[in-house]
Amino acid sequence: MRQISYADAGMEALIEEMGRDATTFHLSTDAPPPLVERFGESRVRGTPIAEGALTGMAIGAAGSGFRPIIDWRMVTFSFVAMDQVVNQASKIHYMFGGQARFPILYRCTVGGGVRMAAQHSQSPYSMFMNLAGLKMILPSTPRDTKGLLKSAIRDDNPVISFESTRLLTLVGEVPEEEYTIPLGVAEVKREGSDVTIIALAWLVHEALAAAEILEAEGISAEVIDPRTLVPMDTDTLRASVRKTGRLIIADEAGPTCSAAAEISALVTEDPATFRALKASVRRVCALQVPIPYSPTLEDHVFPDRNKIAAAAREVMAES
Amino acid sequence: MDISPERQREMLRLMQTIRRFEERASADYVAGDIYGTVHCYIGEEAVAVGVCSALEQEDQIISTHRGHGHCIAKGADIDRMMAELYGRETGYCKGKGGSMHIADFSIGMLGANGIVAGGISIITGAGLAAQLEGKGRVAVSFFGDGASGAGPFHESLNIAAAWKLPMIYVCENNLWAVNTPASSSLSVPDVATRAAGYGIPGMVVDGNDIFAVHRATREAAARARAGEGPSLIECKTYRYRRHTERPTQVDIRPAEEIDAWLQKDPIERLVRHLKSQQGQLTDEEWERMDREILERVNLAVDYARASAFPDPSRATDDVFAA
């Protein structure tokens, strides 16, 4: 199968969906040349640096029959648009009694590891998960990125796509034929029987590397990628934990009120899954600090394959 | 004036409907039948009706926290409005929104909004949609003097001007943001002055003169439809009542100022004008019109009261579109 990068897979999704649906248009503070070439400057607009306005304009255009795509670029810049995200986009369908649909895709990059320091190395998806009314995807591979983005564009709700900065250059298999990946379906990336590692985005790859290390030590790790944060495929996560009896959650965000915390609660509040647990649940997350710049500091703050493997050995030692 | 007498009487009927609707909403709020709060538009009716009477059915508007007037002026059904205020399942938002969140997308009313300036960029997106569609539709943003100091106003005007979006920005300058006078929070005496910074026309009009509002809107709409871009219309007006009907709402506005504006009442002004024109409105006709409006508002209250409250299980409906 052909191989393309995570970033190119995302662009391919946009090109295909903008080609099949004339109500789509794209706003971002720099217009992507591949989209401008194909769809022109009317549908693909480079905008003033005014993310708040762009985020709100998407809502009005969506409510007027369009299917806007807004690229915030880094999640950092979504924060200047938070009024529109929190007070408007997440609530407008519900608040108005469901009388109109608001199909919007908001894209942004998340995560660190590229020495960009605190403002440009954030993974704040749980802040958005805390709101009702937004769907969100967090792909870990080029194939998932394309398939999930295509579904996100076709969805009739506001969807936020969190795309990992570290993975933009990752190359992987992407089918040439048409496909989509539904929102709300997790994927078991590696099967195992001793411990379940639920990992997000870049940490999926670190978890897979940790599973290799652990296999050499006789520990069989199952790695699951939720792929979609809202809706969360709780059934698949619980089924794996019922099988292995042990759970580690690995994420690049800090642990406090995080997606990892939510996953831990969702999995363990189910009585059958709770009874199957043989050990305490572990979160392998970033330290709860703003992300620092210097390599020695940044690498210390983030979780990685070694920290995941260490946590696996600990839960194996518990029972 | 090139507005037909029938049309002028219809404008009067809409203005008086807004006033009577809100008088009743306020009374029923005080009586405990309406919850949360109610922001009354009374005194500013010439702006909503003057603007909306110059628009076409398919044009779109967005409102503020003080939204009943814009709804009624754009053609909303007062039965469903009152039912929404009463929190009933037959309300515009099935009881999910209340006074501050009434919308009717089917008539191009994209919603009231509890965030000052929150709607300006949303309706600018409707303007972008109108431009992309190319069918000559216009989008109108209502907002207050308070919102003109907020970021979304400036971001949206810049984008709309740069892209020549078919937009009309209507500032309802009622001189007070709750209890902060515009004279102390605006950097310039007229909000319309700010249009110059974006290279678009800015007009100051007497917001209590419905014909002046109507004419300014018609000119702005013609510009927008011709692809010449947005306009900013500042309507100087005044709210008669406190910021909200909440019993705890303080009002520090000087009594003399309120009295002076009561003398400039937009409805009385239109009534006087029509009565002065031979055969356009008699005392009797005006009394009958008002009586009919009061009866119509009573019917809306009856409709609301006869409607059921939403079943509690509906609280989880419509979080997402299916």
Side-chain angles (χ1 to χ4, degrees):
Chain A
M1 196 184 291
R2 69 171 180 149
Q3 306 230 338
I4 62 172
S5 75
Y6 184 98
D8 288 347
M11 187 52 67
E12 221 175 67
L14 265 61
I15 290 167
E16 289 182 11
E17 292 306 302
M18 289 189 71
R20 69 183 282 280
D21 188 343
T23 67
T24 54
F25 65 87
H26 189 280
L27 303 181
S28 58
T29 51
D30 276 328
L35 295 182
V36 179
E37 284 161 22
R38 286 170 178 81
F39 305 110
E41 288 178 351
S42 179
R43 281 178 70 195
V44 184
R45 300 191 184 203
T47 72
I49 302 169
E51 289 84 358
L54 305 186
T55 302
M57 287 173 69
I59 300 167
S64 306
F66 281 78
R67 205 167 272 277
I69 301 167
I70 309 297
D71 193 342
W72 287 325
R73 309 173 75 83
M74 292 179 180
V75 73
T76 307
F77 308 126
S78 75
F79 297 135
V80 300
M82 272 313 230
D83 169 53
Q84 290 297 324
V85 176
V86 178
N87 285 318
Q88 316 294 344
S90 72
K91 298 171 174 57
I92 195 163
H93 178 71
Y94 184 90
M95 196 165 75
F96 292 158
Q99 64 178 280
R101 285 160 192 266
F102 299 90
I104 306 167
L105 172 64
Y106 296 114
R107 293 181 79 194
C108 60
T109 57
V110 292
V114 289
R115 317 307 183 206
M116 292 287 280
Q119 291 177 337
H120 295 327
S121 307
Q122 307 192 68
S123 303
Y125 16 85
S126 66
M127 289 172 60
F128 297 85
M129 290 169 72
N130 187 252
L131 303 164
L134 301 171
K135 294 185 179 182
M136 50 205 80
I137 61 174
L138 179 62
S140 68
T141 66
R143 181 180 177 280
D144 289 351
T145 300
K146 180 174 175 185
L148 289 167
L149 276 172
K150 285 169 70 80
S151 294
I153 293 168
R154 295 181 196 186
D155 198 276
D156 279 339
N157 294 281
V159 181
I160 304 178
S161 175
F162 296 109
E163 300 167 34
S164 169
T165 303
R166 296 191 208 233
L167 297 177
L168 293 175
T169 54
L170 176 81
V171 171
E173 291 187 343
V174 175
E176 298 209 38
E177 60 273 21
E178 164 79 15
Y179 73 97
T180 59
I181 294 174
L183 305 187
V185 179
E187 186 176 51
V188 177
K189 297 285 188 185
R190 177 189 170 116
E191 292 196 8
S193 55
D194 293 326
V195 57
T196 298
I197 305 170
I198 298 172
L200 304 179
W202 173 66
L203 268 300
V204 170
H205 302 278
E206 289 301 294
L208 289 168
E212 292 288 323
I213 296 168
L214 292 165
E215 186 177 32
E217 301 171 16
I219 298 170
S220 169
E222 178 147 299
V223 176
I224 302 183
D225 177 0
R227 302 197 292 193
T228 304
L229 296 172
V230 180
M232 182 76 78
D233 182 2
T234 309
D235 290 346
T236 298
L237 308 184
R238 285 175 177 167
S240 173
V241 175
R242 283 198 296 275
K243 179 176 72 172
T244 64
R246 298 180 184 86
L247 173 59
I248 291 167
I249 308 145
D251 182 21
E252 206 174 337
T256 305
C257 300
S258 60
E262 176 63 11
I263 289 168
S264 172
L266 284 171
V267 171
T268 58
E269 72 186 1
D270 172 54
T273 310
F274 182 77
R275 281 194 298 276
L277 281 175
K278 298 171 192 164
S280 58
V281 175
R282 298 300 174 92
R283 288 179 294 169
V284 181
C285 292
L287 302 182
Q288 192 69 27
V289 296
I291 303 306
Y293 165 69
S294 179
T296 57
L297 297 173
E298 186 180 31
D299 293 347
H300 174 69
V301 164
F302 281 124
D304 59 14
R305 62 192 67 184
N306 295 322
K307 290 175 185 171
I308 295 169
R313 290 181 201 109
E314 285 173 21
V315 296
M316 290 304 293
E318 282 185 34
S319 64
Chain B
M1 191 70 217
D2 54 350
I3 305 172
S4 71
E6 295 75 35
R7 193 89 187 278
Q8 293 182 33
R9 282 197 296 271
E10 181 52 26
M11 290 158 93
L12 176 63
R13 177 183 294 277
L14 283 169
M15 287 167 76
Q16 186 70 354
T17 302
I18 294 169
R19 184 160 297 188
R20 293 302 196 193
F21 178 92
E22 288 201 326
E23 286 170 351
R24 185 59 187 270
S26 173
D28 290 5
Y29 170 71
V30 171
D33 292 326
I34 292 172
Y35 314 97
T37 193
V38 168
H39 298 80
C40 286
Y41 191 68
I42 292 172
E44 306 181 25
E45 297 93 341
V47 182
V49 177
V51 169
C52 291
S53 62
L55 300 177
E56 302 296 332
Q57 177 73 35
E58 58 273 19
D59 293 334
Q60 293 168 295
I61 66 167
I62 210 160
S63 178
T64 66
H65 53 287
R66 203 174 299 289
H68 309 138
H70 307 128
C71 284
I72 292 170
K74 194 67 171 72
D77 171 11
I78 65 169
D79 288 347
R80 295 184 66 199
M81 286 179 65
M82 195 60 90
E84 187 59 35
L85 268 60
Y86 266 72
R88 306 303 166 108
E89 66 177 6
T90 55
Y92 263 115
C93 310
K94 303 177 189 167
K96 297 260 178 62
S99 164
M100 246 185 297
H101 302 303
I102 298 181
D104 184 352
F105 280 65
S106 71
I107 59 166
M109 162 54 188
L110 302 199
N113 205 305
I115 309 299
V116 168
I120 302 177
S121 55
I122 297 176
I123 193 68
T124 302
L128 173 57
Q131 185 183 67
L132 289 167
E133 266 177 11
K135 293 179 183 163
R137 198 158 44 80
V138 166
V140 179
S141 182
F142 288 102
F143 56 94
D145 45 292
S148 77
F153 168 79
H154 296 279
E155 292 187 4
S156 298
L157 256 69
N158 181 50
I159 292 174
W163 294 354
K164 293 201 181 307
L165 298 182
M167 291 294 309
I168 307 173
Y169 295 95
V170 178
C171 178
E172 301 175 316
N173 185 350
N174 64 19
L175 310 185
W176 292 84
V178 189
N179 283 322
T180 301
S183 58
S184 77
S185 62
L186 294 180
S187 57
V188 285
D190 298 321
V191 171
T193 309
R194 294 183 167 161
Y198 301 102
I200 65 172
M203 293 153 273
V204 178
V205 305
D206 177 349
N208 285 18
D209 176 352
I210 191 164
F211 300 129
V213 175
H214 178 94
R215 270 195 302 272
T217 307
R218 217 162 45 185
E219 278 171 31
R223 265 179 49 77
R225 289 189 220 285
E228 292 165 27
S231 305
L232 172 60
I233 302 171
E234 177 184 9
C235 302
K236 305 275 195 191
T237 185
Y238 204 74
R239 72 174 142 79
Y240 289 177
R241 306 176 79 100
R242 298 169 299 164
H243 168 60
T244 80
E245 300 299 295
R246 288 176 81 86
T248 52
Q249 179 65 56
V250 173
D251 190 2
I252 67 160
R253 299 174 306 163
E256 320 77 77
E257 183 181 285
I258 297 172
D259 287 344
W261 278 93
L262 287 171
Q263 305 312 310
K264 296 189 264 190
D265 186 73
I267 294 177
E268 283 175 20
R269 192 160 161 179
L270 180 54
V271 167
R272 263 201 315 275
H273 168 78
L274 284 166
K275 283 183 179 174
S276 72
Q277 305 293 304
Q278 187 61 39
Q280 290 191 4
L281 188 74
T282 63
D283 289 343
E284 245 175 40
E285 283 170 335
W286 171 224
E287 280 165 26
R288 190 168 66 237
M289 183 191 285
D290 188 33
R291 222 169 30 244
E292 285 168 2
I293 290 167
L294 280 167
E295 283 163 14
R296 182 67 192 84
V297 170
N298 284 339
L299 287 175
V301 172
D302 291 346
Y303 176 83
R305 289 185 170 162
S307 298
F309 280 100
D311 188 86
S313 67
R314 297 290 172 206
T316 52
D317 288 356
D318 292 327
V319 176
F320 292 108

